[in-house]
Amino acid sequence: MPTIPLTKRGAEKLKEELHRLKTVERPAVINAIAEARAQGDLSENAEYDAAKDKQGFIEGRILEIEGKLAAAQIIDPCELDAGGRVVFGATVDLEEEETGEAVTYQIVGDDEADLKLGLISISSPIARALIGKEAGDVAEVQAPGGIKRYEIVEVRYV
């Protein structure tokens, strides 16, 4: 089974979600199923059907998270020493060459990605273009509107 790269923060978020699913969501849906059963005829009981569907989703998500955590390679960006190169977990300050727009991204695992927070997936086109580069290098990214060129201003491991 291939390993799944996760930052330390991303692994903690998955563990918190798993804990919430097991201690809050699972017992709540079990109670909802019990209450729906108490109402009698299950063949026309919408609450029972909805609770069973929710239970299936919760159990599936629990299995998914447990699998990801079991296969996770947890990387703490603070402990990286990549010699100034862009690697998984690095935070990169970029400047778009054409517009001069400054952006900052951290390269994270697929489950952690959130563009609004500046977290980009390791499998995204921009992350793939940045990996291995250093401050001062230019990365070319194939974007829907054409090729964009970004100068790497700074690489940090925080």
Side-chain angles (χ1 to χ4, degrees):
M1 180 180 212
T3 59
I4 298 170
L6 280 175
T7 63
K8 192 173 179 182
R9 180 184 64 235
E12 289 303 317
K13 285 179 74 175
L14 281 178
K15 287 176 185 175
E16 288 171 12
E17 181 182 357
L18 182 62
H19 179 72
R20 180 182 50 78
L21 287 170
K22 285 183 170 183
T23 61
V24 178
E25 301 286 331
R26 183 188 266 167
V29 80
I30 289 171
N31 286 340
I33 290 171
E35 287 175 20
R37 274 195 179 139
Q39 294 175 8
D41 185 11
L42 299 180
S43 64
E44 295 180 19
N45 190 327
E47 289 88 14
Y48 179 78
D49 291 338
K52 289 297 281 183
D53 287 346
K54 187 171 182 181
Q55 181 184 36
F57 172 79
I58 290 169
E59 296 302 326
R61 183 67 180 149
I62 287 171
L63 288 174
E64 179 183 5
I65 293 171
E66 287 175 340
K68 286 179 181 179
L69 288 173
Q73 177 185 1
I74 299 172
I75 299 167
D76 187 353
C78 298
E79 296 175 4
L80 293 176
D81 182 18
R85 289 187 335 266
V86 178
V87 294
F88 179 86
T91 299
V92 187
D93 296 325
L94 304 170
E95 184 176 302
E96 213 254 299
E97 281 192 342
E98 193 174 300
T99 64
E101 178 186 356
V103 292
T104 300
Y105 295 124
Q106 181 181 15
I107 300 173
V108 298
D110 293 334
D111 290 316
E112 304 170 73
D114 186 343
L115 193 56
K116 293 178 188 135
L117 299 175
L119 305 172
I120 60 170
S121 167
I122 184 74
S123 59
S124 70
I126 190 163
R128 290 195 310 262
L130 293 172
I131 294 291
K133 302 228 180 331
E134 300 176 347
D137 289 350
V138 174
E140 290 188 357
V141 179
Q142 181 65 47
I147 294 177
K148 288 193 172 199
R149 295 172 49 90
Y150 292 94
E151 180 181 347
I152 299 171
V153 178
E154 184 181 8
V155 180
R156 295 173 280 139
Y157 311 104
V158 271

